[in-house]
Amino acid sequence: MMKEKNIHLTEKFVRDTLGEDSTGHDWHHIERVRKNALYIAKKEQAGDPFLIEMAALLHDIPDAKLNTSREAGERKLSDFLQEIEIAEEASSSIKTIIDSVSFKGGNNKKVLSVEAKIVQDADRLDAIGAVGIARAFAYGGKKGQPIHDPGLEIRKVMTEDEYRNDKSSSINHFYEKLLKLRDLLNTDTAREMAEERHQIMEKYLHQFFIEWNGQA
């Protein structure tokens, strides 16, 4: 009963916090990540469903790009977990899972728990495919990035700060992150789900460059 209450309170908190987001990190994104995480957990027969659901719901709350700073986001997450009736061990596990999810320019090399692997996979699945394409351009536009600039080199290696703050384009983002995600997934279920989504992105980019270059 208490777990159900905490899930309900968390849903309301996340809706209130991210409901108006226009960068692709809105409630609908959160809900897709939750559904996919629970689906993966069920298919893999792995992980604690409560921890997975809570972490999926809260995974974007401390995100540095959605807050004034990483520290401000982490405080927001900690303050909420202190407000609800949840065991300290569970609260700590949820924070650890969330801290393991982010791509961070390819620099997040933390050892993952089974729950973190599942939530990370669910979040990464929502970054690719048709929805992922839409989210990439929504975020790029909000950040003031060009759709494409042939003069901007694709960054092969970058620090987390460079990934967050250096000038790039939405098209470069596919090569710097999105096309890498299929091969970085943790579970067989997610890898199977990712295959068609990855192909959709490749087909999209092929057509994009045909049109960009003015070919018939």
Side-chain angles (χ1 to χ4, degrees), residues 14-210:
V14 176
R15 279 180 181 271
D16 290 346
T17 305
L18 299 175
E20 299 299 315
D21 178 85
S22 58
T23 69
H25 300 83
D26 57 10
W27 169 253
H28 302 291
H29 162 66
I30 299 296
E31 179 72 339
R32 289 190 301 269
V33 172
R34 169 168 62 173
K35 287 179 177 177
N36 281 335
L38 291 173
Y39 173 78
I40 292 166
K42 187 174 180 181
K43 288 280 285 185
E44 297 284 321
Q45 297 184 319
D48 181 318
F50 174 70
L51 295 179
I52 288 168
E53 187 167 8
M54 286 290 288
L57 285 168
L58 291 164
H59 78 274
D60 275 338
I61 292 298
D63 195 322
K65 64 181 174 287
L66 304 178
N67 291 279
T68 55
S69 67
R70 179 186 294 177
E71 292 74 21
E74 289 173 350
R75 277 197 306 276
K76 191 185 295 182
L77 175 63
S78 294
D79 289 348
F80 171 74
L81 289 171
Q82 285 177 356
E83 288 174 11
I84 62 175
E85 295 180 55
I86 188 170
E88 179 59 37
E89 184 179 355
S91 175
S92 179
S93 294
I94 290 164
K95 289 180 186 176
T96 300
I97 293 166
I98 291 170
D99 190 48
S100 305
V101 166
S102 179
F103 183 70
K104 296 180 180 173
N107 296 297
N108 197 354
K109 307 295 186 184
K110 296 180 184 295
V111 176
L112 304 182
S113 66
V114 64
E115 290 84 7
K117 288 178 180 179
I118 289 168
V119 176
Q120 185 185 77
D121 279 0
D123 188 41
R124 289 179 171 183
L125 282 169
D126 206 55
I128 63 177
V131 168
I133 291 169
R135 291 182 67 222
F137 289 110
Y139 182 74
K142 184 76 173 180
K143 199 174 177 182
Q145 293 179 342
I147 292 172
H148 179 47
D149 180 348
L152 288 174
E153 287 188 21
I154 295 167
R155 298 169 295 176
K156 307 290 186 188
V157 179
M158 57 197 134
T159 65
E160 182 182 349
D161 184 64
E162 289 169 342
Y163 171 68
R164 296 279 187 219
N165 300 311
D166 282 5
K167 187 172 173 126
S168 188
S169 71
S170 293
I171 289 296
N172 279 14
H173 186 62
F174 283 85
Y175 298 96
E176 293 170 353
K177 176 182 177 182
L178 305 186
L179 291 170
K180 298 177 180 180
L181 294 181
R182 177 188 61 176
D183 297 329
L184 295 174
L185 295 169
N186 304 291
T187 63
D188 291 339
T189 302
R191 283 190 284 270
E192 186 178 323
M193 294 169 71
E195 199 55 46
E196 184 176 7
R197 298 177 189 221
H198 186 88
Q199 291 174 18
I200 285 169
M201 291 193 300
E202 289 183 325
K203 289 175 183 175
Y204 172 79
L205 289 167
H206 175 73
Q207 184 64 26
F208 177 90
F209 285 111
I210 287 175

